[in-house]
Amino acid sequence: MGDVAWIAVDWGTSHLRAWLMGRDSTVLDRRSSADGMGGLDRNGFEPALRALVGDALPVPVLACGMVGSRQGWAEAPYATVPCAAPTIHTAVSVPGTDLDVRVLPGVKQDNPADVMRGEETQIAGFIARNPGFDGIICLPGTHTKWVHTSAGEIVSFRTAMTGEMFALLSQQSVLRHSMGQGWDAEAFATGVDQTLSRPETLAASLFSLRAEGLLTALPGDAARARLSGLLIGAELASMRPYWLGQAVALVGAKALSAAYATALSAQGVPTQMADAEDMTLAGLTAAYAQLQGEAA
Amino acid sequence: MGDVAWIAVDWGTSHLRAWLMGRDSTVLDRRSSADGMGGLDRNGFEPALRALVGDALPVPVLACGMVGSRQGWAEAPYATVPCAAPTIHTAVSVPGTDLDVRVLPGVKQDNPADVMRGEETQIAGFIARNPGFDGIICLPGTHTKWVHTSAGEIVSFRTAMTGEMFALLSQQSVLRHSMGQGWDAEAFATGVDQTLSRPETLAASLFSLRAEGLLTALPGDAARARLSGLLIGAELASMRPYWLGQAVALVGAKALSAAYATALSAQGVPTQMADAEDMTLAGLTAAYAQLQGEAA
């Protein structure tokens, strides 16, 4: 391992990821732990960070994500749309530690009320990697964000809790008895079509997955894929002003982004994909480069 | 306590309720335990029943609910719509016990696929108490049923998982941080109006409750009531063919039925209410009376 110049950190509710960075933005090492901010009190952050990357400290640390929330290590107040992606100059230095740790702020929208923490850094990374990009970025995940960007700024955004709804319904509701572990592309498409064209049918459609499991032995893979399709179709119906007539950049985990790409392409919407972790690192790197006066 | 002639039992996934009945359909005692069928294996049912009402046995026992499911004490196969409410003559006798226990069947619908177990007995009770009733019965609960009845028969029905969705979202999702314990009637009405008139807005609206909690200190009671309103509004949008231009009988717990009554009356739909437990007992009593050749 070469000389570590700084450490990039993605610190969310349930994960802590760190990249040990060389002077020329090369990644020397990548590490992660389960010490998400959700399980830490204020005194737990420094030990968690030291446990993961203590051998490389002290070097500057730049972090994004829920670590900057009110319940995090240090609150980094939201920037308000329309605004540029976060810069190192708006980062908050964590007080009460000998370490040089800075946290990038999240972004809020006053009306309709919405917030993000972490995704703004992925957006910054995507824009840094795709200079001149102008348009819609969708970040599928637990809380999927739909973001309108223009001239390097976040103009507006909305959040759908589709990922969390899918997890709750497929793992904890009565539907869990009907779920497989696999996938059925046709069942997914059927679900998307239904709620995208008739979003009012969602409420009456979910329990059918259970009933069909009991009465017609609906395969578990089809049930799981149709549930995903019904929820994503309802999300697309809700977010139509974002994607209609647009191209959409999907920034997320591969399988989930692919599901969104399939659903959007059935509506004639072209998509491109980028990995969420890659974009987080790109965003942190772009912000750190501002500090160095280097090109990103 | 007078002589117990028979025992009426409502045995659901999470509860066991029993009424000790006299010869003239008077209730001599009412008991309940947490021995729902969900926590019992096949050998656990008789001990659970004896633990609750053993002092009154052996007398005939008539039960309804999930106890008749495939994972229950004895499977009572579904009747298929259109069909009359279940009768004692379609009840299944539980094998392998010295006790005289019969279980009323549930009701299924092939297309769209749907099932009920327990609600059919409440429907039978409501019809027994309201002879000549013809029309829509809505049974709000974990899985709310909308039922079209005519000439004493169940013609068709649909299920919405609104109660379960509300419980999952308000207690286990990120929205739990924003929830109060109380109620806000205006926030409820706002939620219903929104998703009933524009059901496609549901997906983008849920996370706003969290964002408004963070940004504008939305009171927890308003957040909770609006969440309920958004989900019930979406359900009403889904079930419009059932209630539009109809009168609706609501059979459920008082507070939840009142919420549905408020939402429906804002749409000009008149409602009447009946208590779910009362209707369960009325349905079991009507079925038992068939056995005796008595009037219900």
Side-chain angles (χ1 to χ4, degrees):
Chain A
M1 193 165 81
D3 280 352
V4 177
W6 66 286
I7 302 175
V9 171
D10 173 19
W11 209 329
T13 304
S14 57
H15 66 263
L16 166 59
R17 274 191 280 270
W19 294 266
L20 276 52
M21 305 297 293
R23 218 148 265 295
D24 52 352
S25 292
T26 52
V27 177
L28 303 177
D29 197 11
R30 183 193 174 289
R31 303 177 187 175
S32 64
S33 82
D35 278 332
M37 66 73 68
L40 300 173
D41 63 18
R42 192 142 304 192
N43 295 323
F45 288 93
E46 183 165 339
L49 183 66
R50 287 190 183 274
L52 188 64
V53 297
D55 56 319
L57 294 171
V59 291
V61 174
L62 182 59
C64 68
M66 292 302 286
V67 68
S69 69
R70 206 168 300 163
Q71 292 77 34
W73 195 356
E75 184 173 6
Y78 297 108
T80 305
V81 296
C83 59
T87 72
I88 193 70
H89 307 294
T90 58
V92 166
S93 286
V94 173
T97 172
D98 293 338
L99 298 175
D100 172 10
V101 181
R102 300 178 215 202
V103 179
L104 292 174
V107 173
K108 73 175 165 74
Q109 175 173 280
D110 288 329
N111 189 20
D114 220 324
V115 292
M116 64 170 77
R117 276 204 190 272
E119 293 90 349
E120 74 295 325
T121 303
Q122 297 175 18
I123 294 164
F126 186 83
I127 292 173
R129 290 280 182 86
N130 299 270
F133 177 85
D134 220 81
I136 304 302
I137 303 177
C138 170
L139 303 104
T142 304
H143 299 156
T144 298
K145 308 285 179 185
W146 289 82
V147 184
H148 177 202
T149 68
S150 181
E153 290 204 330
I154 299 174
V155 177
S156 68
F157 66 103
R158 292 311 307 272
T159 303
M161 294 174 57
T162 305
E164 187 163 23
M165 294 261 285
F166 179 76
L168 289 171
L169 288 170
S170 66
Q171 295 167 24
Q172 300 199 48
S173 84
V174 70
L175 302 183
R176 71 187 184 279
H177 302 299
S178 306
M179 295 287 121
Q181 293 300 314
W183 196 248
D184 178 324
E186 195 178 335
F188 175 74
T190 301
V192 172
D193 278 356
Q194 182 187 318
T195 48
L196 180 47
S197 60
R198 292 178 296 135
E200 74 281 5
T201 64
L202 177 66
S205 299
L206 297 175
F207 189 75
S208 293
L209 297 167
R210 173 65 175 152
E212 288 182 42
L214 289 168
L215 301 182
T216 67
L218 175 70
D221 293 352
R224 181 166 174 270
R226 197 165 89 209
L227 173 61
S228 175
L230 289 167
L231 294 175
I232 289 179
E235 176 183 337
L236 292 184
S238 216
M239 300 298 178
R240 196 183 293 267
Y242 277 86
W243 55 261
L244 190 67
Q246 303 286 326
V248 173
L250 291 162
V251 176
K254 197 167 291 185
L256 185 58
S257 290
Y260 277 79
T262 302
L264 285 165
S265 102
Q267 301 303 313
V269 175
T271 57
Q272 65 183 108
M273 285 201 251
D275 181 74
E277 280 192 44
D278 290 349
M279 293 306 104
T280 298
L281 178 58
L284 288 164
T285 302
Y288 190 76
Q290 295 160 352
L291 188 67
Q292 302 292 303
E294 302 168 7
Chain B
M1 193 165 82
D3 281 353
V4 177
W6 66 288
I7 301 175
V9 171
D10 174 19
W11 209 330
T13 303
S14 58
H15 67 263
L16 167 58
R17 273 190 281 271
W19 293 265
L20 276 53
M21 306 296 292
R23 217 148 266 296
D24 51 354
S25 292
T26 53
V27 177
L28 302 177
D29 198 11
R30 183 192 174 290
R31 302 178 188 175
S32 65
S33 82
D35 279 332
M37 65 73 68
L40 300 173
D41 64 18
R42 193 144 304 194
N43 295 323
F45 288 93
E46 183 165 336
L49 183 66
R50 287 190 183 274
L52 187 64
V53 297
D55 56 320
L57 296 170
V59 292
V61 173
L62 182 59
C64 68
M66 291 301 287
V67 68
S69 68
R70 206 169 298 164
Q71 291 77 32
W73 195 356
E75 184 173 6
Y78 298 107
T80 305
V81 294
C83 60
T87 71
I88 192 72
H89 308 294
T90 58
V92 166
S93 287
V94 174
T97 171
D98 294 335
L99 299 175
D100 172 11
V101 181
R102 299 178 215 203
V103 179
L104 292 174
V107 172
K108 74 175 164 74
Q109 175 172 279
D110 288 330
N111 189 21
D114 219 323
V115 293
M116 65 170 77
R117 276 201 192 273
E119 293 91 349
E120 74 295 324
T121 303
Q122 297 175 17
I123 294 164
F126 185 83
I127 292 174
R129 290 281 181 86
N130 299 271
F133 177 86
D134 220 80
I136 304 303
I137 302 178
C138 170
L139 303 103
T142 304
H143 300 156
T144 298
K145 308 285 180 186
W146 288 83
V147 184
H148 177 203
T149 68
S150 181
E153 289 202 330
I154 298 173
V155 177
S156 68
F157 67 102
R158 292 312 307 272
T159 303
M161 294 174 56
T162 305
E164 188 163 21
M165 294 261 284
F166 179 75
L168 290 170
L169 288 170
S170 65
Q171 294 166 23
Q172 300 199 48
S173 85
V174 70
L175 302 183
R176 70 187 185 278
H177 302 298
S178 307
M179 295 286 123
Q181 292 300 314
W183 196 249
D184 178 324
E186 196 178 334
F188 175 75
T190 300
V192 172
D193 278 356
Q194 181 188 319
T195 47
L196 180 48
S197 60
R198 292 180 295 136
E200 75 281 6
T201 64
L202 177 66
S205 299
L206 296 176
F207 190 75
S208 293
L209 297 167
R210 173 65 176 151
E212 289 181 41
L214 288 168
L215 301 183
T216 66
L218 175 69
D221 293 353
R224 180 166 175 269
R226 196 165 88 209
L227 173 61
S228 174
L230 289 167
L231 294 174
I232 289 178
E235 175 182 338
L236 292 183
S238 216
M239 301 299 178
R240 197 184 293 268
Y242 277 85
W243 55 261
L244 190 66
Q246 302 286 326
V248 173
L250 292 161
V251 176
K254 196 167 293 185
L256 186 58
S257 290
Y260 278 78
T262 301
L264 285 165
S265 103
Q267 300 302 313
V269 175
T271 57
Q272 65 183 107
M273 285 200 248
D275 181 75
E277 280 193 45
D278 290 350
M279 293 307 102
T280 298
L281 179 58
L284 288 164
T285 301
Y288 190 77
Q290 295 160 351
L291 188 66
Q292 301 293 302
E294 302 169 6

